[in-house]
Amino acid sequence: MTWGQSVNDEDTWVNLAAHALPDVHIVNAGVGAYNSANIRRSMPLFDDADAIVYLITYNDADAAIDFLHMGDRAYPSLWILRYAGYASYRAGLPPEGAPLATEDKERFFEDLDALAADPRVTFVGFAGFALLDEVKARYPETILIEPYTNSVSYIDSHPNAAGHRQIAQNLLPHLEHIREARCPNQPTPTPTPTTN
Amino acid sequence: MSKAGRFRWLASRLLVALGSLLVVALAFEILLRVFDPWGMRYFDDVEFAARRYVSDPVRDYVLPAGRYEFSAWRAVVGTDHMRYVCPIPTARPAVPSSCWATR
């Protein structure tokens, strides 16, 4: 989500935050479909960061997608078949809020435990998701913001440009607070947003 | 009506039905491709990126540096494999070309 799937560079919430906080060097460490394990492994790359913001999304606990060995996907050429196939797939999905696989949940919270041990890390998530409620219960410092209401499409639930503006708007007060807390006397601190 | 006549009548009706079905399916196909009401192009974008990911010893996989043109959006990835953060205020009407240079 932080990577900015389906929006231009200038529309990502990270970019909007960078504009709003021009004295802060902000980088977008998000990569498409990363889960909590990817985020955890990325941490050594940001040893010089003063603050790290991890926007946790509802699928960060899911198992990683093996993009490198996926091979070519065989989507049907006919869009009627694509739509029919997707409708069938959607109908077979577990209901929202279905419990996670035990191993995924254990891995997720192991990752979060490791990340939470780093005082530079702040967890952020969207209110109203069961997973985030659990994160908040375990890590009370977690910041829950209002979820975005503008998404790209029925299939692509990522925020569109307006959705990214909503996220930036809801997150900015917290980012300012993080800057003050982590870098009270530094003119150019370095928060590093990161997520899947 | 003779047996052969009934067969011809039935065959012609069947052809009309099949033709109608094909025309409707073609119309749906065109409409779906043009309007894409559910946003099916998302999967094309995912596949586009998935084909370009490279292995990374630390983070598992990353996108190589470059400028990526997806179905309806674009992204610049720097040599650090991170997405470009453009240091230009959003109030400006357009993104200057210098902002799109790969880091």
Side-chain angles (χ1 to χ4, degrees):
Chain A
M1 184 173 297
T2 294
W3 142 255
Q5 178 75 31
S6 305
V7 298
N8 292 321
D9 289 346
E10 62 268 31
D11 293 322
T12 65
W13 72 260
V14 179
N15 204 49
L16 299 173
H19 294 156
L21 303 170
D23 58 328
V24 181
H25 175 210
I26 296 179
V27 299
N28 185 344
V31 175
Y34 266 14
N35 67 4
S36 58
N38 296 112
I39 304 299
R40 182 180 175 184
R41 284 201 291 273
S42 303
M43 290 295 283
L45 299 172
F46 305 106
D47 281 343
D48 60 341
D50 294 310
I52 295 172
V53 175
Y54 176 14
L55 174 58
I56 301 170
T57 54
Y58 56 90
N59 58 359
D60 282 11
D62 292 351
I65 301 170
D66 187 6
F67 283 116
L68 299 175
H69 301 98
M70 269 172 75
D72 286 343
R73 298 291 292 272
Y75 290 122
S77 303
L78 288 174
W79 278 48
I80 285 184
L81 297 181
R82 280 192 184 197
Y83 266 80
Y86 183 78
S88 164
Y89 158 78
R90 189 94 177 193
L93 283 179
E96 270 186 44
L100 287 164
T102 308
E103 62 269 26
D104 289 338
K105 197 168 181 177
E106 283 175 3
R107 189 223 70 234
F108 176 67
F109 281 109
E110 274 176 24
D111 293 335
L112 261 51
D113 283 343
L115 290 165
D118 187 329
R120 301 172 303 160
V121 174
T122 302
F123 295 149
V124 176
F126 297 113
F129 289 91
L131 181 67
L132 268 301
D133 290 341
E134 206 167 331
V135 171
K136 177 77 175 171
R138 285 193 186 216
Y139 314 99
E141 302 297 315
T142 300
I143 297 166
L144 294 184
I145 60 173
E146 282 298 304
Y148 57 89
T149 54
N150 293 286
S151 56
V152 177
S153 66
Y154 175 67
I155 288 175
D156 183 359
S157 61
H158 290 97
N160 59 15
H164 276 271
R165 284 198 295 276
Q166 287 179 298
I167 295 171
Q169 193 174 10
N170 292 332
L171 209 45
L172 262 175
H174 302 289
L175 295 179
E176 286 169 350
H177 178 74
I178 291 167
R179 175 182 58 176
E180 286 162 18
R182 296 292 310 162
C183 318
N185 300 313
Q186 295 179 28
T188 54
T190 315
T192 305
T194 176
T195 189
N196 72 332
Chain B
M1 194 185 289
S2 68
K3 205 171 183 179
R6 275 207 305 273
F7 177 76
R8 274 199 298 274
W9 179 85
L10 198 65
S12 69
R13 287 291 183 274
L14 205 62
L15 273 176
V16 168
L18 278 175
S20 305
L21 203 66
L22 270 176
V23 168
V24 169
L26 189 67
F28 264 110
E29 178 71 18
I30 291 169
L31 287 172
L32 289 176
R33 281 174 186 263
V34 171
F35 295 106
D36 190 16
W38 283 4
M40 192 63 71
R41 285 190 178 85
Y42 166 69
F43 293 117
D44 292 335
D45 289 340
V46 171
E47 188 181 13
F48 177 84
R51 284 182 180 178
R52 284 155 181 82
Y53 283 129
V54 293
S55 179
D56 181 87
V58 177
R59 298 201 281 173
D60 199 10
Y61 64 88
V62 292
L63 272 177
R67 184 185 300 216
Y68 296 89
E69 295 282 343
F70 292 88
S71 61
W73 53 287
R74 57 187 178 174
V76 174
V77 175
T79 53
D80 54 7
H81 305 299
M82 286 192 280
R83 192 158 179 188
Y84 196 63
V85 174
C86 177
I88 302 293
T90 48
R92 295 196 182 181
V95 177
S97 57
S98 62
C99 188
W100 288 90
T102 302
R103 287 195 286 187

